Amino acid sequence: MSTQTLSAPPSGTARTPSRRRGTALGLGAAVLYLSLIVLIPLAAVVWRSQERGIGHFFRAVTTPDAWAALTLTLGASAVVALINLVMGSIIAWVLVRDRFAGKTVVDTLIDLPFALPTIVAGLVLLTLYGPASPLGIDLAYSRAGVVLALLFVTLPFVVRTVQPVLLELDTEMEQAAASLGARSAQIFVRVILPNLVPAMLSGTALAFARSMAEIGSVVLISGNLPFQTQVASVHIFSQVETDNPVGAAAVSTVLLVVALATLVILDVLQRWGRRRG
């Protein structure tokens, strides 16, 4: 028995060093890749924005054209996020709970904004809702056109975050509530909605962050009119073209800070959702 004990160490003991080496190599590769692709470029942008001092940074982001672009971008992104919160949740509900002809096609089309080049989306929107619109709706060169373009590119976010939660939701709880006399509205508010809220808010935060960075679908339909329809991403591009990289970096840094704050809020919401689950 003593010989068997010496020759058969506890399971996994002999492989622990190799597992640690594998973990260290994987972690090192991940950190190196993220540093080269994300962290170092972002740090370079922030450093460039401070190149002429904090005073120049604030002057660059508060010039009339920069401030108008930032205000429009954040305002339109907030509107788009709220619309997505409502309509994305409704679309997810219909795709999961309802049956209708062409459901598979609709479900596939939800992901089209992910696959379609955004400049193509802008051209399509300009064709349908521009001066020569076959629908008789002209939203070109207006803030409504900017919101429309952002709604198109952010359509999947709330739908694809709420849909899996609805699929995994235990319908027995709803049946039990109904058997106790609860009405449909009560069941939705007290049973279904609390389980959906974390996913709804997460998708909304992603839609907001994505809206701030959009340029392709907006650049055509907005007309890029300074102080009116020029979004921050187009303003940054124009600053680079006019040989003002420091100003472009300053506005980029503002968007970066807002995006990071949004992601932190998203992480908090996800942790809250896991605790509730």
Side-chain angles (χ1 to χ4, degrees):
M1 182 176 296
S2 61
T3 303
Q4 293 177 349
T5 302
L6 292 173
S7 60
S11 176
T13 302
R15 286 182 287 180
T16 299
S18 62
R19 287 179 179 177
R20 289 178 178 174
R21 285 196 297 271
T23 301
L25 288 174
L27 179 60
V31 171
L32 177 61
Y33 182 80
L34 288 175
S35 298
L36 292 174
I37 301 299
V38 179
L39 298 179
I40 294 177
L42 292 181
V45 170
V46 175
W47 176 82
R48 189 64 183 273
S49 70
Q50 306 293 324
E51 191 175 75
R52 299 179 185 174
I54 192 68
H56 185 274
F57 172 86
F58 282 110
R59 285 193 297 272
V61 299
T62 55
T63 59
D65 53 343
W67 188 252
L70 285 170
T71 303
L72 173 60
T73 300
L74 296 178
S77 298
V79 171
V80 167
L82 291 176
I83 295 175
N84 272 304
L85 173 64
V86 177
M87 296 307 303
S89 301
I90 293 175
I91 293 172
W93 179 274
V94 169
L95 289 175
V96 173
R97 294 298 180 94
D98 295 343
R99 295 182 180 179
F100 55 91
K103 179 178 177 178
T104 303
V105 176
V106 173
D107 192 37
T108 303
L109 288 176
I110 296 298
D111 293 325
L112 183 61
F114 283 152
L116 190 68
T118 55
I119 192 66
V120 176
L123 180 60
V124 170
L125 292 174
L126 184 62
T127 303
L128 287 177
Y129 303 106
S133 169
L135 304 177
I137 303 175
D138 185 5
L139 299 179
Y141 320 132
S142 67
R143 296 188 176 189
V146 172
V147 171
L148 177 66
L150 296 180
L151 283 173
F152 179 86
V153 297
T154 59
L155 170 65
F157 288 103
V158 175
V159 177
R160 292 313 187 203
T161 54
V162 173
Q163 197 173 7
V165 179
L166 276 172
L167 287 170
E168 297 177 2
L169 197 61
D170 187 4
T171 56
E172 292 182 357
M173 294 189 299
E174 301 173 44
Q175 295 171 357
S179 66
L180 293 174
R183 291 175 294 181
S184 298
Q186 292 175 319
I187 294 173
F188 178 79
V189 172
R190 298 184 180 181
V191 178
I192 300 175
L193 189 59
N195 291 283
L196 297 182
V197 166
M200 292 168 62
L201 295 179
S202 296
T204 302
L206 289 173
F208 177 78
R210 178 68 181 83
S211 296
M212 290 192 304
E214 180 57 26
I215 183 173
S217 64
V218 177
V219 69
L220 293 178
I221 198 170
S222 69
N224 307 320
L225 304 176
F227 310 106
Q228 298 182 41
T229 61
Q230 188 179 72
V231 295
S233 55
V234 178
H235 174 77
I236 292 169
F237 182 73
S238 66
Q239 292 300 298
V240 174
E241 281 192 320
T242 56
D243 196 25
N244 184 20
V246 177
V251 177
S252 300
T253 300
V254 173
L255 294 181
L256 173 61
V257 170
V258 177
L260 288 176
T262 303
L263 292 178
V264 169
I265 294 173
L266 174 60
D267 182 67
V268 172
L269 292 174
Q270 290 175 337
R271 292 174 185 271
W272 174 60
R274 285 194 293 267
R275 286 198 300 267
R276 287 179 57 86

